[in-house]
Amino acid sequence: MFRPLSLYIGSRFNRSKKRNRMVSFISLSSMLGIAVGVAVIIIGLSAMNGFERELQTRVLSVIPQGELQAVQPPLNNWKPLLKKVEQHPHITAAAPYVEFTALLERGAKLKAVAVRGVDPKEQLKVSELPRYVKNNAWSTFTAGKREVILGQGVATKLKLKVGDWITAMIPNTDPQMKLRAPKRIRLQVVGLLALGGQIDHSLAIVPLQDAQQYLDMGQGVSGIEMNVDNVLDAQQIVKEVGDTLPVYVYLKSWTQKYGYLYRDIQMVRTIMYLVMVLVIGVACFNIVSTLMMAVKDRAADIAILRTMGASDRLIKSIFVWHGVLSGVLGSIIGSIFGSLIAINLTHIVRVIEKIIGHRFLSGDIYFVDFLPTQLAWHDVVIVTTTAIVLSLIATWYPATRASRLQPARVLSAKC
């Protein structure tokens, strides 16, 4: 009893479709088109949110967010520099590291890896990496025992398990002896890094003191890694820190190596919003077709309403409600199904991968080896609102045509 007359009549028109099956079919297809479009966009945006979350919470919690690398390694007088770096207001933690490349040999199998020497205790301050080492191996990871922690992908390729020994070939550090054979070191695998992505296939970790010994660096290091309070401003913060130091160092941040991932995610998100407008817009064209056919089919009813005193505004509102109801119903259905699929997207994809026996994301290529998802309710609201607004715009022309029908001409044609 509290509904406007235009909404009441429009809802009756929307439910009463037995007079013209073609109008009913096109109306149903427009509603389903909007529902599918809304669901697909919500799922796509949730996947992009998931990738961004994994980049920030998984990858950026493990790799150095900023680095001060020695121009001519080793960096010997690094302890005063470390204290000065930690005094910067935007630096949350800092630690020394040694970095070099090694060739791992296991029988006839070879694998090139980036070896990183870190202090096991100091690393807890700047990285979440210990959290991804299996079986709590980090707690017993100490220098002087020739231990190494390998990425899960490296261990799988070389068919290694915890407790196995492996040979690492390290390039000669003496620039005057370029033809000298590489140094060969026997290392025991004491842990596996299972981050679930590209890093697992290219990284090996050794204690800092052992790395210094392998490279004959004495007490020197390759550089200082640090965490910042805002990862998106890491490049600027690293530059500010570098300007305060009394020595020349290379300034590096995560954006130089993984910045393209963040930019790609943002670009795809923007494209998804554009696709949202186009997909839902195409679906809304069916609303125009439905209403144009409904106007023709309901011409006699419109004429009778006009003879009873209905105004142009009332007739226009009736058909606006007639089209918007289809858009609202399609948007609600699409948002519900899209949200349900988005919440369970990771599990659904894993089930599909098991059925077909193929992985969509390979860990040696992508920074994660699964399809992440994170449903953001503001995305649901934006997509649903956009669909309703576009369906409202689509009703304007047919509703205007309906309000301009001449009752006398329509009724005389019926007679």
Side-chain angles (χ1 to χ4, degrees):
M1 61 183 295
F2 296 103
R3 286 186 298 175
L5 179 61
S6 57
L7 174 58
Y8 175 75
I9 299 175
S11 62
R12 289 290 300 271
F13 281 3
N14 201 47
R15 293 195 302 268
S16 179
K17 299 172 183 176
K18 295 182 179 179
R19 295 179 59 181
N20 192 324
R21 292 186 177 181
M22 181 60 69
V23 175
S24 177
F25 174 76
I26 296 177
S27 178
L28 180 62
S29 66
S30 65
M31 183 186 68
L32 293 178
I34 292 174
V36 171
V38 169
V40 169
I41 299 303
I42 289 175
I43 294 170
L45 290 175
S46 298
M48 291 301 103
N49 293 337
F51 279 117
E52 184 174 351
R53 180 198 64 204
E54 294 301 318
L55 176 63
Q56 293 188 4
T57 62
R58 183 180 295 262
V59 177
L60 294 185
S61 68
V62 171
I63 66 170
Q65 298 173 5
E67 291 182 80
L68 303 174
Q69 192 177 69
V71 176
Q72 294 181 343
L75 186 63
N76 292 311
N77 193 22
W78 57 270
K79 291 184 178 180
L81 299 179
L82 180 64
K83 292 181 179 180
K84 194 170 186 64
V85 168
E86 291 176 333
Q87 292 173 358
H88 193 278
H90 295 293
I91 299 299
T92 58
Y97 72 91
V98 172
E99 191 174 50
F100 58 95
T101 302
L103 187 64
L104 302 184
E105 180 184 21
R106 166 80 167 178
K109 297 181 180 295
L110 298 173
K111 175 67 176 177
V113 296
V115 182
R116 197 167 183 89
V118 298
D119 187 317
K121 293 182 180 179
E122 294 295 321
Q123 194 67 17
L124 295 172
K125 301 178 182 178
V126 296
S127 175
E128 293 290 331
L129 188 143
R131 184 162 64 94
Y132 296 99
V133 177
K134 289 183 175 181
N135 301 323
N136 199 28
W138 194 271
S139 60
T140 59
F141 189 49
T142 56
K145 298 181 180 180
R146 293 188 176 271
E147 296 178 341
V148 63
I149 294 176
L150 294 180
Q152 181 73 64
V154 177
T156 301
K157 181 176 178 59
L158 298 178
K159 297 183 179 179
L160 291 167
K161 61 182 183 297
V162 175
D164 290 345
W165 288 83
I166 191 170
T167 300
M169 291 183 284
I170 303 174
N172 175 36
T173 57
D174 188 351
Q176 303 299 325
M177 304 181 68
K178 298 180 180 179
L179 298 180
R180 185 178 179 181
K183 182 186 297 185
R184 302 172 70 91
I185 302 171
R186 292 288 289 172
L187 300 173
Q188 185 179 24
V189 180
V190 296
L192 298 177
L193 173 65
L195 187 63
Q198 201 174 33
I199 295 176
D200 291 350
H201 296 260
S202 60
L203 183 64
I205 307 165
V206 297
L208 180 67
Q209 295 179 7
D210 288 355
Q212 292 171 331
Q213 180 184 352
Y214 301 152
L215 298 181
D216 299 322
M217 298 178 70
Q219 296 298 315
V221 296
S222 299
I224 297 173
E225 62 176 298
M226 48 195 172
N227 273 9
V228 298
D229 56 2
N230 187 350
V231 294
L232 298 183
D233 292 334
Q235 185 68 34
Q236 180 62 32
I237 295 173
V238 172
K239 184 178 182 299
E240 292 176 1
V241 173
D243 291 339
T244 64
L245 301 181
V247 298
Y248 290 105
V249 290
Y250 290 121
L251 306 179
K252 295 185 177 182
S253 72
W254 69 271
T255 56
Q256 294 171 282
K257 189 173 183 180
Y258 291 97
Y260 74 95
L261 292 174
Y262 182 78
R263 291 190 294 270
D264 288 349
I265 291 171
Q266 300 306 316
M267 181 183 67
V268 173
R269 191 195 305 276
T270 302
I271 293 175
M272 290 294 294
Y273 282 117
L274 177 60
V275 170
M276 170 187 70
V277 176
L278 295 178
V279 170
I280 298 176
V282 170
C284 288
F285 276 110
N286 283 339
I287 293 180
V288 178
S289 302
T290 301
L291 292 182
M292 291 301 293
M293 297 183 68
V295 169
K296 185 177 181 180
D297 186 51
R298 298 287 182 175
D301 297 333
I302 296 172
I304 293 173
L305 288 173
R306 292 298 298 273
T307 58
M308 294 174 64
S311 63
D312 292 349
R313 183 178 179 181
L314 176 62
I315 300 299
K316 184 182 294 185
S317 299
I318 290 172
F319 284 91
V320 167
W321 281 115
H322 185 14
V324 167
L325 288 174
S326 295
V328 170
L329 186 59
S331 301
I332 293 175
I333 293 174
S335 61
I336 292 174
F337 277 94
S339 299
L340 291 175
I341 295 174
I343 292 173
N344 300 282
L345 183 60
T346 302
H347 178 69
I348 292 172
V349 171
R350 282 176 175 168
V351 171
I352 295 174
E353 289 177 341
K354 289 182 179 179
I355 293 174
I356 65 177
H358 174 74
R359 302 199 69 163
F360 297 123
L361 298 177
S362 177
D364 58 345
I365 299 176
Y366 301 98
F367 71 96
V368 289
D369 59 358
F370 62 96
L371 185 61
T373 181
Q374 182 179 7
L375 180 65
W377 292 111
H378 66 269
D379 287 336
V380 177
V381 172
I382 291 174
V383 174
T384 304
T385 303
T386 302
I388 294 174
V389 170
L390 290 178
S391 63
L392 175 62
I393 295 174
T395 64
W396 186 255
Y397 177 70
T400 303
R401 288 288 301 272
S403 66
R404 293 177 180 175
L405 286 178
Q406 298 297 325
R409 184 176 302 174
V410 174
L411 294 177
S412 62
K414 292 291 183 179
C415 296

